[in-house]
């Protein structure tokens, strides 16, 4: 297998020009054929004549597969609007912007999925008044481990429904960060914010 470096050139057929052209390998965001998304920052052969992606080298396939997998396997759920507000407030409390919210939720799901005694505390949270409300805001979680973590947590917590489970997680975050601040956990999360920000 030939490995191409950024800047390498070769001759290849360009579908846009409908002829053989010189392509130069560059890091490009490549849209899916069906227009449903984009694979970011992969080495691709770009036509020097029309600037479109003419060739995806074999070396980029694993990176593309990995991105496709994580993008397509998002967990989608709808929760009451005040739950998103809680998550935004918790992020702010940690010194993070609202775009930290999915990471915060995923962090919690992962921690709870490996901690049975904490996981069983989710179900009682669902009886609180804050657990009610019209589910009108989308919560989307992407990542390679999220499906495994959620199914693990469902069995530990005895909450079979994904939306109910996410509500419980949001209310646990509310308790730990906003209602009864857990200083140890907040310190851990702040250092996590610092590493991903
Ligand atoms: Zn071209």
């Amino acid at each position: 297998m030939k490995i191409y470096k950024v800047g390498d050139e070769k001759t290849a057929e360009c579908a846009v020009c409908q002829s053989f052209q010189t392509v130069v390998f560059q890091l490009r965001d490549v849209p899916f054929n069906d227009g449903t998304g984009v694979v970011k920052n992969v080495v691709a052969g770009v036509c020097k004549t029309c600037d479109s992606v003419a060739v995806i080298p074999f070396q980029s396939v694993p990176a593309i597969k990995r991105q496709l997998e994580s993008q397509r396997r998002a967990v989608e759920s709808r929760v009451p609007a005040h739950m998103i507000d809680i998550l935004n407030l918790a992020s702010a409390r940690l010194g993070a912007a609202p775009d930290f919210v999915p990471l915060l939720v995923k962090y919690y799901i992962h921690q709870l999925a490996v901690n049975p005694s904490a996981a069983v505390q989710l179900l009682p949270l669902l009886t609180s008044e804050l657990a009610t409300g019209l589910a009108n805001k989308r919560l989307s979680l992407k990542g390679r481990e999220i499906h495994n973590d959620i199914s693990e947590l469902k069995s530990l917590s005895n909450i079979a429904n994904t939306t109910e489970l996410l509500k419980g997680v949001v209310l646990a975050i509310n308790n730990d960060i906003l209602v009864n601040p857990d200083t140890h956990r907040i310190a851990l999360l702040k250092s996590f914010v610092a590493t991903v920000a």
Side-chain angles (χ1 to χ4, degrees):
M1 178 178 83
K2 169 131 177 74
I3 297 284
Y4 294 98
K5 306 188 302 294
V6 168
D8 284 354
E9 296 189 354
K10 74 169 212 170
T11 301
E13 192 169 8
C14 172
V16 176
C17 298
Q18 296 191 317
S19 57
F20 280 89
Q21 298 288 339
T22 302
V23 301
V24 56
F25 288 91
Q26 298 178 356
L27 287 172
R28 275 289 173 102
D29 295 346
V30 179
F32 303 158
N33 288 337
D34 61 5
T36 56
V38 170
V39 178
K40 297 205 160 168
N41 223 22
V42 292
V43 173
V46 177
C47 173
K48 286 184 96 171
T49 304
C50 72
D51 200 46
S52 62
V53 172
V55 184
I56 304 287
F58 187 72
Q59 73 199 54
S60 294
V61 171
I64 290 171
K65 278 192 172 159
R66 192 170 62 235
Q67 289 196 37
L68 284 179
E69 199 184 338
S70 60
Q71 290 178 27
R72 295 228 160 119
R73 282 167 58 86
V75 172
E76 299 280 350
S77 193
R78 295 188 89 79
V79 296
H82 66 270
M83 297 236 163
I84 301 296
D85 295 339
I86 288 170
L87 293 172
N88 288 338
L89 287 169
S91 286
R93 176 73 182 74
L94 298 170
D99 62 3
F100 182 67
V101 161
L103 277 175
L104 175 63
V105 177
K106 283 189 331 190
Y107 170 91
Y108 255 82
I109 290 170
H110 185 73
Q111 294 299 313
L112 290 163
V114 295
N115 186 344
S117 62
V120 295
Q121 292 169 31
L122 291 179
L123 192 55
L125 292 173
L126 293 177
T127 60
S128 95
E129 203 263 325
L130 275 178
T132 60
L134 218 56
N136 48 13
K137 288 259 184 162
R138 198 170 71 105
L139 185 58
S140 174
L141 303 172
K142 296 172 184 173
R144 288 155 71 75
E145 295 305 322
I146 187 67
H147 287 263
N148 290 339
D149 283 346
I150 283 184
S151 63
E152 189 64 31
L153 186 53
K154 278 180 176 174
S155 83
L156 286 179
S157 67
N158 288 313
I159 303 173
N161 178 284
T162 303
T163 298
E164 293 302 303
L165 184 76
L166 292 177
K167 284 185 187 176
V169 171
V170 173
L171 294 173
I173 291 171
N174 186 43
N175 277 351
D176 287 357
I177 298 176
L178 300 172
V179 181
N180 301 304
D182 175 338
T183 48
H184 177 66
R185 186 173 292 275
I186 287 173
L188 274 176
L189 281 164
K190 278 187 168 170
S191 83
F192 180 45
V193 168
T195 57
V196 298

